Amino acid sequence: IALVINLAFFLMADTYPNLTMQTKTRTFWLAIVITIILALLAQTDLIFSSVTISGEGIKPNPGPLIPLFLLHTVLGLGGGLYKLIKKFKKSEGVEKDQIKILLFGTFLMFLLIMLSNVVLVLVFKTSGFVSFLPLYTIVFTGFVSYAIAKHGLFNLKVLATQLLVTVL
């Protein structure tokens, strides 16, 4: 699921605040295909060779293709972070406030993921925290929720109206 989270975050950062994608169609489909391939490989022992379950918890053991998994994480989350920073510099007013909150939540999520999924795995050869990755998205989700409530992020009233009009 981490691979899908990486891709979804990048695409969200790419399209926000508009509903049009900034990334070229070819790049978009390449990212989809690579994500699918890596997700399929994650079901083998090539990304994670095994899982050790002990009294200390669940510990996935890295396989030979773990660098591809980590590269996908860096490109997906790092690329999304880069896109949000560029948009923050160009934005003004409420949009700037919204992007600032998104950036802060993204930065915290990205930092936690890089520490536990890259530094600890590659430098310290431990993957005990890899399974916590989905929890780090809760940090991001909390900031998004705050931005929605406080600053009208994603303009949910307009989206809900459009949905109701379409359904009815």
Side-chain angles (χ1 to χ4, degrees):
I1 195 81
L3 296 162
V4 175
I5 290 170
N6 296 339
L7 178 63
F9 174 75
F10 177 81
L11 294 175
M12 185 277 306
D14 184 55
T15 57
Y16 180 79
N18 307 313
L19 294 177
T20 56
M21 198 168 41
Q22 308 296 311
T23 299
K24 295 177 184 167
T25 303
R26 192 173 81 170
T27 305
F28 168 78
W29 285 110
L30 181 63
I32 296 283
V33 169
I34 289 171
T35 300
I36 290 169
I37 290 170
L38 286 174
L40 292 171
L41 289 173
Q43 306 311 306
T44 71
D45 62 353
L46 295 172
I47 303 286
F48 292 99
S49 60
S50 64
V51 176
T52 304
I53 302 173
S54 68
E56 297 173 10
I58 300 171
K59 179 185 174 198
N61 301 307
L65 296 184
I66 193 70
L68 293 178
F69 175 85
L70 299 174
L71 179 63
H72 188 276
T73 300
V74 170
L75 291 176
L77 299 181
L81 185 61
Y82 173 75
K83 284 185 173 284
L84 285 176
I85 289 170
K86 280 179 49 178
K87 290 176 181 186
F88 177 75
K89 289 179 180 179
K90 294 179 184 178
S91 65
E92 297 175 347
V94 173
E95 188 175 287
K96 192 170 194 96
D97 291 338
Q98 293 170 341
I99 295 174
K100 181 176 24 175
I101 294 167
L102 277 177
L103 275 171
F104 190 71
T106 301
F107 178 76
L108 281 175
M109 177 182 69
F110 188 68
L111 178 67
L112 290 168
I113 290 171
M114 289 298 103
L115 285 173
S116 66
N117 288 14
V118 178
V119 174
L120 291 176
V121 171
L122 293 179
V123 177
F124 297 104
K125 306 292 186 217
T126 181
S127 58
F129 293 97
V130 169
S131 59
F132 291 125
L133 183 132
L135 296 177
Y136 304 148
T137 61
I138 292 173
V139 171
F140 175 73
T141 304
F143 280 95
V144 169
S145 299
Y146 174 75
I148 288 170
K150 182 76 173 170
H151 297 285
L153 180 67
F154 301 133
N155 206 350
L156 291 183
K157 288 179 184 175
V158 171
L159 291 174
T161 303
Q162 288 176 344
L163 179 65
L164 283 174
V165 168
T166 303
V167 170
L168 299 176

